[in-house]
CSV table of all heavy atoms in Angstrom, one decimal:
chain,number,residue,atom,x,y,z
A,18,MET,N,3.5,41.9,-19.1
A,18,MET,CA,2.3,42.4,-19.5
A,18,MET,C,1.2,42.2,-18.4
A,18,MET,O,1.1,41.1,-17.8
A,18,MET,CB,1.8,41.6,-20.7
A,18,MET,CG,0.5,42.0,-21.3
A,18,MET,SD,-0.1,41.1,-22.7
A,18,MET,CE,1.1,41.6,-23.9
A,21,TYR,N,-5.7,41.6,-16.5
A,21,TYR,CA,-6.7,41.4,-15.4
A,21,TYR,C,-7.8,40.4,-16.0
A,21,TYR,O,-8.4,40.6,-17.0
A,21,TYR,CB,-7.4,42.7,-15.1
A,21,TYR,CG,-6.6,43.7,-14.4
A,21,TYR,CD1,-6.0,44.7,-15.2
A,21,TYR,CD2,-6.4,43.8,-13.1
A,21,TYR,CE1,-5.2,45.7,-14.7
A,21,TYR,CE2,-5.6,44.7,-12.5
A,21,TYR,CZ,-5.0,45.7,-13.3
A,21,TYR,OH,-4.3,46.7,-12.7
A,22,ASP,N,-8.0,39.3,-15.3
A,22,ASP,CA,-9.0,38.3,-15.6
A,22,ASP,C,-10.3,38.9,-14.9
A,22,ASP,O,-10.4,38.9,-13.7
A,22,ASP,CB,-8.7,36.9,-15.2
A,22,ASP,CG,-9.7,35.9,-15.6
A,22,ASP,OD1,-10.8,36.3,-16.1
A,22,ASP,OD2,-9.4,34.7,-15.5
A,26,THR,N,-15.8,32.9,-12.0
A,26,THR,CA,-15.6,31.4,-12.2
A,26,THR,C,-17.0,30.8,-12.2
A,26,THR,O,-17.8,31.0,-11.3
A,26,THR,CB,-14.8,30.9,-11.0
A,26,THR,OG1,-13.5,31.5,-11.0
A,26,THR,CG2,-14.6,29.4,-11.2
A,27,LEU,N,-17.2,29.9,-13.2
A,27,LEU,CA,-18.4,29.1,-13.3
A,27,LEU,C,-18.3,27.9,-12.3
A,27,LEU,O,-17.4,27.0,-12.5
A,27,LEU,CB,-18.6,28.6,-14.7
A,27,LEU,CG,-19.2,29.6,-15.7
A,27,LEU,CD1,-19.2,29.0,-17.1
A,27,LEU,CD2,-20.7,30.0,-15.3
A,37,ASP,N,-34.0,30.4,-13.1
A,37,ASP,CA,-32.9,29.9,-13.9
A,37,ASP,C,-32.4,28.5,-13.5
A,37,ASP,O,-32.4,28.2,-12.3
A,37,ASP,CB,-31.7,30.9,-13.8
A,37,ASP,CG,-32.0,32.2,-14.6
A,37,ASP,OD1,-32.9,32.3,-15.3
A,37,ASP,OD2,-31.1,33.1,-14.3
A,42,LYS,N,-22.2,20.4,-12.2
A,42,LYS,CA,-21.0,19.8,-12.9
A,42,LYS,C,-20.8,18.4,-12.3
A,42,LYS,O,-20.9,18.2,-11.1
A,42,LYS,CB,-19.8,20.6,-12.5
A,42,LYS,CG,-18.5,20.0,-13.1
A,42,LYS,CD,-17.3,20.9,-12.7
A,42,LYS,CE,-16.9,20.6,-11.2
A,42,LYS,NZ,-15.6,21.2,-10.8
A,47,ASP,N,-13.7,9.3,-16.0
A,47,ASP,CA,-12.7,9.3,-14.9
A,47,ASP,C,-11.4,8.8,-15.5
A,47,ASP,O,-11.3,7.8,-16.2
A,47,ASP,CB,-13.2,8.5,-13.8
A,47,ASP,CG,-12.3,8.5,-12.6
A,47,ASP,OD1,-12.3,9.4,-11.8
A,47,ASP,OD2,-11.4,7.5,-12.5
A,49,GLU,N,-8.9,7.1,-14.0
A,49,GLU,CA,-8.6,5.7,-13.6
A,49,GLU,C,-9.5,4.7,-14.4
A,49,GLU,O,-9.1,3.7,-14.8
A,49,GLU,CB,-8.8,5.5,-12.1
A,49,GLU,CG,-7.6,6.0,-11.3
A,49,GLU,CD,-7.4,7.5,-11.2
A,49,GLU,OE1,-8.4,8.2,-11.2
A,49,GLU,OE2,-6.3,8.0,-11.2
A,50,ARG,N,-10.8,5.1,-14.5
A,50,ARG,CA,-11.7,4.2,-15.2
A,50,ARG,C,-11.7,4.3,-16.7
A,50,ARG,O,-11.7,3.2,-17.4
A,50,ARG,CB,-13.1,4.5,-14.7
A,50,ARG,CG,-14.2,3.6,-15.2
A,50,ARG,CD,-15.6,4.0,-14.8
A,50,ARG,NE,-16.0,5.3,-15.4
A,50,ARG,CZ,-16.5,6.4,-14.8
A,50,ARG,NH1,-16.7,6.4,-13.6
A,50,ARG,NH2,-16.8,7.4,-15.5
A,66,THR,N,-20.1,35.2,-15.9
A,66,THR,CA,-19.8,36.3,-16.9
A,66,THR,C,-20.3,35.8,-18.2
A,66,THR,O,-20.0,34.8,-18.7
A,66,THR,CB,-18.3,36.5,-16.9
A,66,THR,OG1,-17.8,36.9,-15.6
A,66,THR,CG2,-18.0,37.7,-17.9
A,74,VAL,N,-34.2,39.5,-25.4
A,74,VAL,CA,-35.4,40.3,-25.1
A,74,VAL,C,-36.2,40.9,-26.3
A,74,VAL,O,-37.2,41.5,-26.1
A,74,VAL,CB,-35.0,41.5,-24.2
A,74,VAL,CG1,-34.4,41.1,-22.8
A,74,VAL,CG2,-33.9,42.4,-24.9
A,82,LYS,N,-24.2,33.9,-31.9
A,82,LYS,CA,-23.4,33.5,-33.1
A,82,LYS,C,-23.4,34.5,-34.2
A,82,LYS,O,-22.6,34.6,-35.1
A,82,LYS,CB,-23.8,32.1,-33.6
A,82,LYS,CG,-25.1,32.1,-34.3
A,82,LYS,CD,-25.3,30.8,-35.1
A,82,LYS,CE,-26.6,30.8,-35.8
A,82,LYS,NZ,-26.7,31.8,-36.9
A,98,ASN,N,-17.9,56.3,-12.1
A,98,ASN,CA,-18.9,57.3,-12.0
A,98,ASN,C,-19.3,57.9,-13.3
A,98,ASN,O,-18.7,57.6,-14.3
A,98,ASN,CB,-18.4,58.5,-11.0
A,98,ASN,CG,-17.1,59.1,-11.5
A,98,ASN,OD1,-17.0,59.5,-12.7
A,98,ASN,ND2,-16.1,59.1,-10.7
A,102,VAL,N,-17.8,58.0,-17.4
A,102,VAL,CA,-18.6,57.5,-18.6
A,102,VAL,C,-18.6,58.6,-19.7
A,102,VAL,O,-18.3,58.4,-20.8
A,102,VAL,CB,-20.0,57.1,-18.2
A,102,VAL,CG1,-20.9,56.9,-19.5
A,102,VAL,CG2,-20.1,55.9,-17.3
A,107,ASP,N,-16.7,61.2,-24.7
A,107,ASP,CA,-16.1,62.4,-25.3
A,107,ASP,C,-14.8,62.1,-26.0
A,107,ASP,O,-14.4,62.7,-26.9
A,107,ASP,CB,-16.0,63.5,-24.3
A,107,ASP,CG,-17.3,64.1,-23.8
A,107,ASP,OD1,-18.4,63.8,-24.5
A,107,ASP,OD2,-17.4,64.8,-22.8
A,111,LYS,N,-15.4,53.4,-27.2
A,111,LYS,CA,-16.7,52.8,-27.6
A,111,LYS,C,-17.2,51.7,-26.7
A,111,LYS,O,-18.3,51.2,-26.8
A,111,LYS,CB,-16.6,52.3,-29.0
A,111,LYS,CG,-16.2,53.4,-30.0
A,111,LYS,CD,-16.9,53.2,-31.3
A,111,LYS,CE,-16.6,54.3,-32.3
A,111,LYS,NZ,-17.3,55.5,-32.1
A,116,LYS,N,-18.3,49.8,-12.8
A,116,LYS,CA,-18.1,49.2,-11.5
A,116,LYS,C,-19.5,49.0,-10.9
A,116,LYS,O,-20.4,49.8,-11.1
A,116,LYS,CB,-17.2,50.1,-10.7
A,116,LYS,CG,-15.8,50.1,-11.1
A,116,LYS,CD,-14.9,49.3,-10.2
A,116,LYS,CE,-13.5,49.5,-10.5
A,116,LYS,NZ,-12.7,48.7,-9.6
A,134,VAL,N,-21.4,47.8,-23.5
A,134,VAL,CA,-21.6,48.1,-22.1
A,134,VAL,C,-21.4,46.9,-21.3
A,134,VAL,O,-22.0,45.8,-21.6
A,134,VAL,CB,-22.9,48.8,-21.8
A,134,VAL,CG1,-23.1,48.9,-20.3
A,134,VAL,CG2,-23.1,50.1,-22.5
A,144,PHE,N,-35.5,44.7,-18.6
A,144,PHE,CA,-35.6,44.3,-20.0
A,144,PHE,C,-35.8,45.5,-20.9
A,144,PHE,O,-35.3,45.5,-22.0
A,144,PHE,CB,-36.8,43.3,-20.2
A,144,PHE,CG,-36.5,42.0,-19.5
A,144,PHE,CD1,-37.6,41.2,-19.0
A,144,PHE,CD2,-35.3,41.4,-19.5
A,144,PHE,CE1,-37.4,40.0,-18.5
A,144,PHE,CE2,-35.1,40.2,-18.9
A,144,PHE,CZ,-36.1,39.4,-18.4
A,166,VAL,N,-9.6,46.0,-10.5
A,166,VAL,CA,-9.2,46.8,-11.7
A,166,VAL,C,-9.4,48.3,-11.4
A,166,VAL,O,-10.5,48.7,-11.1
A,166,VAL,CB,-10.0,46.4,-12.9
A,166,VAL,CG1,-9.6,47.2,-14.1
A,166,VAL,CG2,-9.9,44.9,-13.2
A,173,LEU,N,-9.8,45.4,-24.1
A,173,LEU,CA,-10.7,44.4,-23.6
A,173,LEU,C,-10.8,43.3,-24.7
A,173,LEU,O,-10.9,43.5,-25.9
A,173,LEU,CB,-12.2,45.0,-23.5
A,173,LEU,CG,-13.3,44.0,-23.3
A,173,LEU,CD1,-13.2,43.3,-21.9
A,173,LEU,CD2,-14.7,44.7,-23.5
A,183,ASP,N,-29.5,32.9,-27.1
A,183,ASP,CA,-29.8,34.3,-26.6
A,183,ASP,C,-28.7,34.9,-25.8
A,183,ASP,O,-28.8,36.1,-25.4
A,183,ASP,CB,-31.1,34.3,-25.8
A,183,ASP,CG,-31.0,33.3,-24.6
A,183,ASP,OD1,-30.9,32.1,-24.8
A,183,ASP,OD2,-30.9,33.8,-23.5
A,197,LEU,N,0.6,47.5,-24.8
A,197,LEU,CA,0.1,47.2,-26.2
A,197,LEU,C,0.5,48.4,-27.1
A,197,LEU,O,0.7,49.5,-26.6
A,197,LEU,CB,-1.4,47.1,-26.2
A,197,LEU,CG,-1.9,45.9,-25.5
A,197,LEU,CD1,-3.5,45.9,-25.5
A,197,LEU,CD2,-1.5,44.6,-26.1
Side-chain angles (χ1 to χ4, degrees):
M18 178 179 296
Y21 295 93
D22 186 346
T26 300
L27 279 172
D37 286 347
K42 176 182 81 170
D47 180 85
E49 279 71 36
R50 183 185 68 227
T66 301
V74 294
K82 73 168 182 59
N98 55 53
V102 172
D107 291 344
K111 305 216 178 279
K116 292 253 190 178
V134 170
F144 292 146
V166 181
L173 171 69
D183 58 289
L197 295 175

